[in-house]
Amino acid sequence: MGVWTRSASFLRSRLLHGHLQDGRRRLLTSDSGVPLPMDALLICNISASRGTSPIVVALLDYLQQKYSNVGYYVPIAKCRGDDSGISARVDLVRGALNLDDEAAAMQGVRKAEALDMISRGEEEALGEKIYARYVEYKRRYGKEITVIEGGLLE
């Protein structure tokens, strides 16, 4: 069984059986059944192919059925060619799931800004900036769980 198959099987089993005995929801447990507190889920494409957006939209749709306030965040946004500064992924998810969150709040930094900070040796500051924006997004919109897509410079 390949790594992806094992990972998908593990995630699916945890998603389908993720409820506490008192009825509260959770997604993951340890192998011994101990609940693992979780308020974020990171989705990264580790293959050379692209196309995680349909998976992310389906996952977010599922989570919206289980949680009252689901968020979506892109740490490093590859923005469209226009002047909006908004990632096409953010627009896609906002539209598909009818999220009212401000698009700019759903992304950390633009790819150009990330590359500029890295070229100046400011990797730590970049990480802090992305994380601070993420924390602000969750606080501002009161997100119960947030799916974070990406993280790599594509």
Side-chain angles (χ1 to χ4, degrees), residues 24-27 37-41 63-72 101 134 137-139 141-147:
R24 290 182 294 147
R25 294 174 305 240
R26 67 169 154 68
L27 284 176
M38 186 173 77
D39 65 355
L41 182 61
L63 291 172
Q64 282 184 325
Q65 297 170 34
K66 303 292 179 188
Y67 293 90
S68 60
N69 195 354
V70 177
Y72 174 74
D101 307 352
Y134 165 73
Y137 170 66
K138 286 189 59 94
R139 185 202 60 76
Y141 292 99
K143 297 301 177 186
E144 190 176 356
I145 188 167
T146 302
V147 172

mmCIF file of all heavy atoms in Angstrom, residues 24-27 37-41 63-72 101 134 137-139 141-147:
data_model
loop_
_atom_site.group_PDB
_atom_site.id
_atom_site.type_symbol
_atom_site.label_atom_id
_atom_site.label_comp_id
_atom_site.label_asym_id
_atom_site.label_seq_id
_atom_site.Cartn_x
_atom_site.Cartn_y
_atom_site.Cartn_z
ATOM 1 N N ARG A 24 -19.836 15.946 21.134
ATOM 2 C CA ARG A 24 -19.062 17.027 20.531
ATOM 3 C C ARG A 24 -18.283 16.501 19.352
ATOM 4 O O ARG A 24 -17.937 15.334 19.296
ATOM 5 C CB ARG A 24 -18.095 17.640 21.553
ATOM 6 C CG ARG A 24 -18.785 18.424 22.629
ATOM 7 C CD ARG A 24 -17.785 19.045 23.576
ATOM 8 N NE ARG A 24 -17.114 17.966 24.290
ATOM 9 C CZ ARG A 24 -15.846 18.001 24.686
ATOM 10 N NH1 ARG A 24 -15.101 19.039 24.418
ATOM 11 N NH2 ARG A 24 -15.309 16.986 25.330
ATOM 12 N N ARG A 25 -17.991 17.380 18.395
ATOM 13 C CA ARG A 25 -17.282 16.956 17.194
ATOM 14 C C ARG A 25 -15.782 17.143 17.352
ATOM 15 O O ARG A 25 -15.314 18.044 18.007
ATOM 16 C CB ARG A 25 -17.741 17.797 16.007
ATOM 17 C CG ARG A 25 -19.160 17.568 15.638
ATOM 18 C CD ARG A 25 -19.526 18.551 14.575
ATOM 19 N NE ARG A 25 -19.255 19.893 15.031
ATOM 20 C CZ ARG A 25 -20.151 20.848 15.141
ATOM 21 N NH1 ARG A 25 -21.371 20.639 14.789
ATOM 22 N NH2 ARG A 25 -19.821 22.045 15.564
ATOM 23 N N ARG A 26 -15.032 16.280 16.703
ATOM 24 C CA ARG A 26 -13.603 16.425 16.517
ATOM 25 C C ARG A 26 -13.258 15.616 15.282
ATOM 26 O O ARG A 26 -14.046 14.799 14.831
ATOM 27 C CB ARG A 26 -12.806 15.952 17.711
ATOM 28 C CG ARG A 26 -12.922 14.462 17.912
ATOM 29 C CD ARG A 26 -11.931 13.967 18.917
ATOM 30 N NE ARG A 26 -12.403 12.781 19.541
ATOM 31 C CZ ARG A 26 -12.550 11.610 18.945
ATOM 32 N NH1 ARG A 26 -12.283 11.479 17.671
ATOM 33 N NH2 ARG A 26 -12.987 10.564 19.593
ATOM 34 N N LEU A 27 -12.092 15.836 14.740
ATOM 35 C CA LEU A 27 -11.723 15.119 13.528
ATOM 36 C C LEU A 27 -10.776 13.966 13.783
ATOM 37 O O LEU A 27 -10.942 12.904 13.236
ATOM 38 C CB LEU A 27 -11.075 16.071 12.526
ATOM 39 C CG LEU A 27 -12.042 16.976 11.800
ATOM 40 C CD1 LEU A 27 -11.284 17.938 10.921
ATOM 41 C CD2 LEU A 27 -13.009 16.159 10.980
ATOM 42 N N PRO A 37 -6.821 17.730 19.850
ATOM 43 C CA PRO A 37 -7.446 19.018 19.575
ATOM 44 C C PRO A 37 -6.938 19.560 18.242
ATOM 45 O O PRO A 37 -5.751 19.481 17.947
ATOM 46 C CB PRO A 37 -7.006 19.897 20.742
ATOM 47 C CG PRO A 37 -5.813 19.222 21.309
ATOM 48 C CD PRO A 37 -5.923 17.765 20.982
ATOM 49 N N MET A 38 -7.842 20.062 17.438
ATOM 50 C CA MET A 38 -7.445 20.529 16.115
ATOM 51 C C MET A 38 -8.321 21.701 15.713
ATOM 52 O O MET A 38 -9.543 21.620 15.804
ATOM 53 C CB MET A 38 -7.585 19.395 15.106
ATOM 54 C CG MET A 38 -7.065 19.753 13.742
ATOM 55 S SD MET A 38 -7.045 18.368 12.612
ATOM 56 C CE MET A 38 -8.760 18.281 12.189
ATOM 57 N N ASP A 39 -7.671 22.779 15.290
ATOM 58 C CA ASP A 39 -8.427 23.906 14.769
ATOM 59 C C ASP A 39 -7.950 24.296 13.379
ATOM 60 O O ASP A 39 -8.374 25.305 12.831
ATOM 61 C CB ASP A 39 -8.373 25.096 15.715
ATOM 62 C CG ASP A 39 -6.976 25.674 15.864
ATOM 63 O OD1 ASP A 39 -6.028 25.098 15.307
ATOM 64 O OD2 ASP A 39 -6.841 26.698 16.541
ATOM 65 N N ALA A 40 -7.067 23.481 12.793
ATOM 66 C CA ALA A 40 -6.572 23.742 11.444
ATOM 67 C C ALA A 40 -6.156 22.432 10.791
ATOM 68 O O ALA A 40 -5.775 21.482 11.469
ATOM 69 C CB ALA A 40 -5.399 24.706 11.477
ATOM 70 N N LEU A 41 -6.260 22.418 9.477
ATOM 71 C CA LEU A 41 -5.853 21.265 8.690
ATOM 72 C C LEU A 41 -5.062 21.793 7.509
ATOM 73 O O LEU A 41 -5.555 22.623 6.744
ATOM 74 C CB LEU A 41 -7.096 20.508 8.209
ATOM 75 C CG LEU A 41 -6.886 19.242 7.408
ATOM 76 C CD1 LEU A 41 -6.130 18.200 8.216
ATOM 77 C CD2 LEU A 41 -8.239 18.683 6.986
ATOM 78 N N LEU A 63 -16.622 19.776 5.894
ATOM 79 C CA LEU A 63 -16.420 20.399 7.206
ATOM 80 C C LEU A 63 -17.546 21.373 7.555
ATOM 81 O O LEU A 63 -17.915 21.503 8.724
ATOM 82 C CB LEU A 63 -15.062 21.103 7.249
ATOM 83 C CG LEU A 63 -13.840 20.178 7.241
ATOM 84 C CD1 LEU A 63 -12.560 20.986 7.081
ATOM 85 C CD2 LEU A 63 -13.792 19.310 8.484
ATOM 86 N N GLN A 64 -18.101 22.048 6.546
ATOM 87 C CA GLN A 64 -19.206 22.969 6.809
ATOM 88 C C GLN A 64 -20.430 22.236 7.345
ATOM 89 O O GLN A 64 -21.257 22.838 8.029
ATOM 90 C CB GLN A 64 -19.581 23.757 5.553
ATOM 91 C CG GLN A 64 -18.638 24.883 5.252
ATOM 92 C CD GLN A 64 -19.081 25.715 4.058
ATOM 93 O OE1 GLN A 64 -19.638 25.205 3.091
ATOM 94 N NE2 GLN A 64 -18.815 27.006 4.126
ATOM 95 N N GLN A 65 -20.548 20.960 7.050
ATOM 96 C CA GLN A 65 -21.656 20.163 7.575
ATOM 97 C C GLN A 65 -21.419 19.769 9.028
ATOM 98 O O GLN A 65 -22.359 19.434 9.739
ATOM 99 C CB GLN A 65 -21.851 18.909 6.723
ATOM 100 C CG GLN A 65 -22.231 19.211 5.291
ATOM 101 C CD GLN A 65 -22.188 17.977 4.419
ATOM 102 O OE1 GLN A 65 -22.493 16.876 4.874
ATOM 103 N NE2 GLN A 65 -21.809 18.147 3.168
ATOM 104 N N LYS A 66 -20.154 19.801 9.466
ATOM 105 C CA LYS A 66 -19.792 19.359 10.809
ATOM 106 C C LYS A 66 -19.495 20.507 11.776
ATOM 107 O O LYS A 66 -19.593 20.347 12.978
ATOM 108 C CB LYS A 66 -18.567 18.439 10.757
ATOM 109 C CG LYS A 66 -18.745 17.221 9.879
ATOM 110 C CD LYS A 66 -19.760 16.289 10.477
ATOM 111 C CE LYS A 66 -19.969 15.064 9.600
ATOM 112 N NZ LYS A 66 -21.068 14.240 10.057
ATOM 113 N N TYR A 67 -19.080 21.631 11.237
ATOM 114 C CA TYR A 67 -18.678 22.781 12.057
ATOM 115 C C TYR A 67 -19.490 24.002 11.645
ATOM 116 O O TYR A 67 -19.854 24.154 10.484
ATOM 117 C CB TYR A 67 -17.189 23.089 11.877
ATOM 118 C CG TYR A 67 -16.271 22.036 12.424
ATOM 119 C CD1 TYR A 67 -15.849 20.968 11.627
ATOM 120 C CD2 TYR A 67 -15.825 22.083 13.737
ATOM 121 C CE1 TYR A 67 -15.007 19.989 12.128
ATOM 122 C CE2 TYR A 67 -14.975 21.109 14.242
ATOM 123 C CZ TYR A 67 -14.576 20.061 13.428
ATOM 124 O OH TYR A 67 -13.747 19.104 13.925
ATOM 125 N N SER A 68 -19.713 24.884 12.603
ATOM 126 C CA SER A 68 -20.541 26.056 12.323
ATOM 127 C C SER A 68 -19.781 27.182 11.623
ATOM 128 O O SER A 68 -20.393 28.000 10.937
ATOM 129 C CB SER A 68 -21.155 26.583 13.620
ATOM 130 O OG SER A 68 -20.130 26.941 14.531
ATOM 131 N N ASN A 69 -18.457 27.248 11.771
ATOM 132 C CA ASN A 69 -17.713 28.358 11.183
ATOM 133 C C ASN A 69 -16.367 27.850 10.662
ATOM 134 O O ASN A 69 -15.395 27.764 11.395
ATOM 135 C CB ASN A 69 -17.514 29.475 12.213
ATOM 136 C CG ASN A 69 -17.092 30.776 11.567
ATOM 137 O OD1 ASN A 69 -16.829 30.843 10.364
ATOM 138 N ND2 ASN A 69 -17.018 31.821 12.366
ATOM 139 N N VAL A 70 -16.327 27.527 9.378
ATOM 140 C CA VAL A 70 -15.157 26.944 8.736
ATOM 141 C C VAL A 70 -14.431 28.021 7.939
ATOM 142 O O VAL A 70 -15.068 28.821 7.238
ATOM 143 C CB VAL A 70 -15.567 25.782 7.802
ATOM 144 C CG1 VAL A 70 -14.372 25.218 7.063
ATOM 145 C CG2 VAL A 70 -16.275 24.692 8.601
ATOM 146 N N GLY A 71 -13.102 28.040 8.034
ATOM 147 C CA GLY A 71 -12.310 29.029 7.312
ATOM 148 C C GLY A 71 -11.378 28.398 6.296
ATOM 149 O O GLY A 71 -11.172 27.189 6.283
ATOM 150 N N TYR A 72 -10.811 29.246 5.461
ATOM 151 C CA TYR A 72 -9.868 28.832 4.426
ATOM 152 C C TYR A 72 -8.767 29.883 4.373
ATOM 153 O O TYR A 72 -9.047 31.088 4.386
ATOM 154 C CB TYR A 72 -10.584 28.738 3.078
ATOM 155 C CG TYR A 72 -9.672 28.461 1.912
ATOM 156 C CD1 TYR A 72 -9.138 27.204 1.714
ATOM 157 C CD2 TYR A 72 -9.347 29.464 1.004
ATOM 158 C CE1 TYR A 72 -8.300 26.938 0.636
ATOM 159 C CE2 TYR A 72 -8.514 29.207 -0.073
ATOM 160 C CZ TYR A 72 -7.998 27.950 -0.252
ATOM 161 O OH TYR A 72 -7.175 27.698 -1.317
ATOM 162 N N ASP A 101 -16.149 35.975 4.227
ATOM 163 C CA ASP A 101 -14.884 36.508 4.710
ATOM 164 C C ASP A 101 -14.236 37.390 3.630
ATOM 165 O O ASP A 101 -14.322 37.080 2.440
ATOM 166 C CB ASP A 101 -13.916 35.379 5.049
ATOM 167 C CG ASP A 101 -14.513 34.360 6.006
ATOM 168 O OD1 ASP A 101 -15.615 34.590 6.531
ATOM 169 O OD2 ASP A 101 -13.875 33.325 6.218
ATOM 170 N N TYR A 134 -2.633 34.806 9.824
ATOM 171 C CA TYR A 134 -3.499 33.647 10.043
ATOM 172 C C TYR A 134 -4.240 33.771 11.380
ATOM 173 O O TYR A 134 -5.455 33.576 11.455
ATOM 174 C CB TYR A 134 -2.664 32.364 9.991
ATOM 175 C CG TYR A 134 -3.363 31.158 10.559
ATOM 176 C CD1 TYR A 134 -4.401 30.543 9.860
ATOM 177 C CD2 TYR A 134 -2.990 30.625 11.791
ATOM 178 C CE1 TYR A 134 -5.048 29.436 10.379
ATOM 179 C CE2 TYR A 134 -3.628 29.520 12.304
ATOM 180 C CZ TYR A 134 -4.656 28.935 11.602
ATOM 181 O OH TYR A 134 -5.298 27.853 12.117
ATOM 182 N N TYR A 137 -6.901 36.383 11.137
ATOM 183 C CA TYR A 137 -8.049 35.890 10.362
ATOM 184 C C TYR A 137 -8.959 35.031 11.236
ATOM 185 O O TYR A 137 -10.174 35.218 11.268
ATOM 186 C CB TYR A 137 -7.553 35.102 9.146
ATOM 187 C CG TYR A 137 -8.629 34.341 8.410
ATOM 188 C CD1 TYR A 137 -9.651 35.007 7.736
ATOM 189 C CD2 TYR A 137 -8.637 32.950 8.394
ATOM 190 C CE1 TYR A 137 -10.637 34.301 7.060
ATOM 191 C CE2 TYR A 137 -9.612 32.250 7.723
ATOM 192 C CZ TYR A 137 -10.614 32.927 7.058
ATOM 193 O OH TYR A 137 -11.599 32.236 6.399
ATOM 194 N N LYS A 138 -8.361 34.068 11.952
ATOM 195 C CA LYS A 138 -9.156 33.196 12.814
ATOM 196 C C LYS A 138 -9.858 33.988 13.917
ATOM 197 O O LYS A 138 -11.014 33.725 14.231
ATOM 198 C CB LYS A 138 -8.273 32.108 13.423
ATOM 199 C CG LYS A 138 -7.898 31.042 12.422
ATOM 200 C CD LYS A 138 -7.221 29.868 13.065
ATOM 201 C CE LYS A 138 -8.026 29.198 14.090
ATOM 202 N NZ LYS A 138 -8.832 28.067 13.699
ATOM 203 N N ARG A 139 -9.151 34.963 14.499
ATOM 204 C CA ARG A 139 -9.745 35.772 15.564
ATOM 205 C C ARG A 139 -10.864 36.652 15.020
ATOM 206 O O ARG A 139 -11.961 36.692 15.565
ATOM 207 C CB ARG A 139 -8.679 36.640 16.222
ATOM 208 C CG ARG A 139 -9.207 37.438 17.432
ATOM 209 C CD ARG A 139 -8.349 38.637 17.744
ATOM 210 N NE ARG A 139 -8.261 39.592 16.670
ATOM 211 C CZ ARG A 139 -9.223 40.469 16.327
ATOM 212 N NH1 ARG A 139 -10.359 40.489 16.968
ATOM 213 N NH2 ARG A 139 -9.047 41.328 15.334
ATOM 214 N N TYR A 141 -12.761 36.437 12.374
ATOM 215 C CA TYR A 141 -13.956 35.763 11.866
ATOM 216 C C TYR A 141 -14.427 34.615 12.761
ATOM 217 O O TYR A 141 -15.408 33.951 12.429
ATOM 218 C CB TYR A 141 -13.704 35.257 10.436
ATOM 219 C CG TYR A 141 -13.562 36.393 9.455
ATOM 220 C CD1 TYR A 141 -12.310 36.828 9.057
ATOM 221 C CD2 TYR A 141 -14.671 37.054 8.952
ATOM 222 C CE1 TYR A 141 -12.166 37.883 8.163
ATOM 223 C CE2 TYR A 141 -14.547 38.104 8.063
ATOM 224 C CZ TYR A 141 -13.290 38.511 7.669
ATOM 225 O OH TYR A 141 -13.156 39.566 6.790
ATOM 226 N N GLY A 142 -13.751 34.381 13.873
ATOM 227 C CA GLY A 142 -14.175 33.370 14.837
ATOM 228 C C GLY A 142 -14.224 31.961 14.274
ATOM 229 O O GLY A 142 -15.157 31.208 14.550
ATOM 230 N N LYS A 143 -13.208 31.585 13.531
ATOM 231 C CA LYS A 143 -13.193 30.291 12.862
ATOM 232 C C LYS A 143 -13.015 29.147 13.853
ATOM 233 O O LYS A 143 -12.121 29.160 14.687
ATOM 234 C CB LYS A 143 -12.080 30.222 11.808
ATOM 235 C CG LYS A 143 -12.268 31.216 10.689
ATOM 236 C CD LYS A 143 -13.583 31.004 9.985
ATOM 237 C CE LYS A 143 -13.845 32.014 8.908
ATOM 238 N NZ LYS A 143 -15.182 31.878 8.339
ATOM 239 N N GLU A 144 -13.886 28.155 13.738
ATOM 240 C CA GLU A 144 -13.806 26.963 14.575
ATOM 241 C C GLU A 144 -12.719 26.025 14.045
ATOM 242 O O GLU A 144 -12.001 25.388 14.816
ATOM 243 C CB GLU A 144 -15.161 26.265 14.559
ATOM 244 C CG GLU A 144 -15.308 25.167 15.553
ATOM 245 C CD GLU A 144 -16.708 24.585 15.557
ATOM 246 O OE1 GLU A 144 -17.608 25.073 14.848
ATOM 247 O OE2 GLU A 144 -16.892 23.598 16.278
ATOM 248 N N ILE A 145 -12.604 25.938 12.731
ATOM 249 C CA ILE A 145 -11.570 25.145 12.072
ATOM 250 C C ILE A 145 -11.242 25.831 10.749
ATOM 251 O O ILE A 145 -12.112 26.414 10.112
ATOM 252 C CB ILE A 145 -11.990 23.674 11.853
ATOM 253 C CG1 ILE A 145 -10.808 22.847 11.349
ATOM 254 C CG2 ILE A 145 -13.193 23.573 10.941
ATOM 255 C CD1 ILE A 145 -11.031 21.357 11.410
ATOM 256 N N THR A 146 -9.974 25.786 10.365
ATOM 257 C CA THR A 146 -9.532 26.426 9.135
ATOM 258 C C THR A 146 -8.701 25.449 8.316
ATOM 259 O O THR A 146 -7.808 24.799 8.851
ATOM 260 C CB THR A 146 -8.673 27.684 9.444
ATOM 261 O OG1 THR A 146 -9.466 28.580 10.229
ATOM 262 C CG2 THR A 146 -8.228 28.373 8.169
ATOM 263 N N VAL A 147 -9.004 25.355 7.031
ATOM 264 C CA VAL A 147 -8.200 24.567 6.107
ATOM 265 C C VAL A 147 -7.156 25.517 5.513
ATOM 266 O O VAL A 147 -7.505 26.575 4.979
ATOM 267 C CB VAL A 147 -9.051 23.933 4.999
ATOM 268 C CG1 VAL A 147 -8.166 23.281 3.947
ATOM 269 C CG2 VAL A 147 -10.001 22.902 5.607
#
